[in-house]
Amino acid sequence: MYIVLEGIDGAGKSTQISALKGWLEDSGLEVETIVEPTDSDIGVLIRKILQNPNATDENIQKILGLLFAADRLLLVDKIAKEEYCNKIIISDRSFYSSLAYQNHPEWIAEINKFAKKPDIVLLLDLDVDLAIERCSGEDEFEKKSFLIDVKNSYLDLAKDDKDRFKIINANNGPKKVQSDIKKAIAPFLGICLSGID
Ligand code: TYD
């Protein structure tokens, strides 16, 4: 089972991933987590480029699209290794991030065709104003309009793939988000829901 958390910057993915991992392990399941971009040389280069103030420019986004696809190919080998077999993998982002952030869906789909497709995508849907407040506090027009596009792309992806995508309202506090995530995935894993508010 390959579960992915997606959402715009500041949506609270890492907090929710550690809560989800703890809950699944308490339920007797074995869990491994992964993060995109990875800590590979390609991932390090990606993070460097992301710090560039012009990172939202169209051409830089295309370069990032290629690098993210390459970084993801490294994950294909990693996931195939024994330590990941028969475990639940929870990933912070996936190729759906490339679809939402980098645009050009056909090209992104083509260069990511060897990437593993998630079984469940938990989309943490956060208001852009709140995201900007959480991330930088600076209400830059460029960043805001970029994140609005990303948010809308995610919602379109979710609309087109209702079986795979579960939309979680991330504007609520972390506890409520956590219980909504549990409710969304419990049926897939056959976990009893007792004790969830
Ligand atoms: P990160 O610092 O991990 O941000 P967050 O904690 O919000 O996920 O950086 C990841 C950034 O990379 C984030 O802005 C989304 C972007 N990204 C893409 O643009 N395309 C991708 O395919 C992936 C995986 C991430």
Side-chain angles (χ1 to χ4, degrees), residues 5-14 35-38 46-47 50 55 61 64-65 67-69 71-72 92-102 108 112 135 143 146-147 150 154:
L5 274 81
E6 289 283 356
I8 59 173
D9 306 43
K13 292 182 284 38
S14 42
V35 179
E36 291 195 24
T38 70
I46 289 173
R47 289 195 185 278
L50 284 169
Q61 284 297 312
L64 282 170
L67 291 172
F68 277 117
D71 192 40
R72 210 161 279 134
D92 186 335
R93 301 192 177 279
S94 68
F95 93 102
Y96 287 109
S97 285
S98 288
L99 286 175
Y101 279 79
Q102 273 75 51
I108 290 291
N112 283 279
C135 288
K143 176 86 179 168
F146 179 74
L147 287 182
V150 174
Y154 270 130

